Amino acid sequence: PLFLCAGVLPWIFFSGALTEATGSIVGNSNLVLKVHFPLEILPLSYCFSILFDFVFSLIALLPILYALGVHIDVLVLIHLLPIIVIHLFFIIGLSLFLSVAHVFYKDVGHLLSIVLMFWFYLTPIFYSIDHLPVEIQNVYAWNPMVYFVQGYRNILFLNTPPTVQLYMQMIIISLVTFCAGWAF
């Protein structure tokens, strides 16, 4: 159950924020047409709203872990904060891109739900990629959510901080996605 929770909770944060933020501009079109304000606020507000849900679910998970006899070192637990922030920047970048695309192409919201369904099964949430052949593991390197799930699992399941290499991979993915989404 712990292995599953360490993968499902970040995925719920990711998919929930993307789904909500994608329709944020179109869903608030009456406000957008009446008041002049930076449109980035709408997807950002949805991302931060889902972030609070995610943080509270992590807080609720900690006593459950303790009751199950899992003790996470405080020094390891501190690594959750930077991973959450890095993950948030990745989500914001995708949300900005998708929310603007949804304004021009109304099918983006529908396609997103299909893409997220396939993406869920292509992300190692129910399984570990360590047990897959090396050739398939190389294919998984193209899935950005793999790195975030590994980061959360290192902390919540393995009780070890993520490696510097994993941090760098997550930071690069997040920065590229955030800058591209903001520019779009």
Side-chain angles (χ1 to χ4, degrees), residues 36-161:
H36 179 70
F37 64 94
L39 295 180
E40 296 88 359
I41 291 175
L42 293 172
L44 287 174
S45 66
Y46 285 97
C47 288
F48 282 106
S49 171
I50 303 296
L51 171 67
F52 288 119
D53 292 343
F54 177 60
V55 169
F56 287 125
S57 65
L58 286 176
I59 291 171
L61 179 65
L62 293 176
I64 295 170
L65 295 176
Y66 186 76
L68 291 173
V70 177
H71 302 288
I72 300 175
D73 187 20
V74 175
L75 295 175
V76 173
L77 197 59
I78 291 173
H79 286 273
L80 265 180
L81 183 60
I83 289 182
I84 291 171
V85 171
I86 296 167
H87 194 193
L88 178 65
F89 273 93
F90 172 66
I91 292 169
I92 288 172
L94 284 177
S95 297
L96 290 171
F97 177 80
L98 290 172
S99 63
V100 171
H102 187 60
V103 170
F104 297 103
Y105 306 104
K106 303 298 182 216
D107 292 334
V108 168
H110 301 294
L111 290 174
L112 177 65
S113 62
I114 295 168
V115 168
L116 285 174
M117 182 178 56
F118 284 112
W119 198 347
F120 176 78
Y121 290 109
L122 294 174
T123 304
I125 294 172
F126 293 106
Y127 53 92
S128 174
I129 62 171
D130 298 333
H131 301 296
L132 299 174
V134 176
E135 298 82 23
I136 295 176
Q137 287 181 16
N138 293 334
V139 173
Y140 274 86
W142 292 95
N143 181 352
M145 278 302 292
V146 168
Y147 304 105
F148 294 104
V149 169
Q150 284 178 344
Y152 288 108
R153 278 216 177 111
N154 280 359
I155 296 168
L156 297 173
F157 185 69
L158 300 174
N159 193 21
T160 60

Side-chain angles (χ1 to χ4, degrees), residues 153-183:
R153 278 216 177 111
N154 280 359
I155 296 168
L156 297 173
F157 185 69
L158 300 174
N159 193 21
T160 60
T163 63
V164 173
Q165 179 186 2
L166 184 59
Y167 265 122
M168 295 312 297
Q169 290 167 326
M170 289 187 294
I171 289 170
I172 290 169
I173 290 167
S174 294
L175 284 177
V176 168
T177 306
F178 179 77
C179 291
W182 194 269

Side-chain angles (χ1 to χ4, degrees), residues 20-34:
E20 294 293 323
T22 297
S24 63
I25 296 174
V26 172
N28 292 301
S29 60
N30 57 347
L31 181 64
V32 169
L33 296 173
K34 292 180 184 177

